[in-house]
Amino acid sequence: MARLPRLYLPDQPLHVIQRGNNRNLIFATQQDYMFYLRCLQEAAETHQLSVHAYALMTNPVRANMVAQPDDYPWSSFRANAQGKTNPLVSPQVRDCSLRYLIFSAFDTPR
């Protein structure tokens, strides 16, 4: 059964998940990852969208593929967590109140 259409609100971020049919692999080779990122960048430019983060696979740390998130080359972790340049990733504009809520949730004693 097809998914229902996503709720689209102008100027609001979307979280997009794409999986292979029956959860089959989408990426089999390094060229598959590079092709997908080129397509993503072209679509973002064509439709004037900003990409703030991406990860092309399951969680590589949990899958024991890498020891640290920044060791995995197919995500935006280095751009968002370490401020490294990534031509596909646009800087995120953070609302101060949202940032306060997120940080205060982590800083609250348990």
Side-chain angles (χ1 to χ4, degrees):
M1 181 168 130
R3 290 183 181 256
L4 295 174
R6 283 181 165 59
L7 174 63
Y8 173 73
L9 300 172
D11 299 319
Q12 296 300 309
L14 294 174
H15 179 219
V16 179
I17 298 172
Q18 179 178 348
R19 292 187 173 140
N21 285 340
N22 298 318
R23 296 197 179 195
N24 288 328
L25 286 177
I26 296 174
F27 310 110
T29 67
Q30 184 171 349
Q31 289 77 16
D32 294 339
Y33 288 95
M34 293 179 352
F35 176 76
Y36 189 90
L37 289 176
R38 282 194 308 270
C39 290
L40 180 59
Q41 185 161 13
E42 182 180 312
E45 291 169 359
T46 299
H47 299 285
Q48 298 177 343
L49 302 173
S50 297
V51 175
H52 296 293
Y54 65 88
L56 303 184
M57 66 153 308
T58 60
N59 186 320
V61 176
R62 283 191 193 160
N64 292 321
M65 295 177 67
V66 295
Q68 300 293 324
D70 59 344
D71 294 338
Y72 188 67
W74 306 112
S75 80
S76 59
F77 179 84
R78 287 183 298 279
N80 288 309
Q82 300 172 334
K84 304 263 173 94
T85 301
N86 182 326
L88 181 58
V89 177
S90 297
Q92 298 181 36
V93 177
R94 293 187 174 97
D95 179 87
C96 291
S97 61
L98 176 60
R99 187 172 6 159
Y100 173 76
L101 289 173
I102 292 170
F103 288 144
S104 65
F106 286 112
D107 292 340
T108 304
R110 296 185 191 258

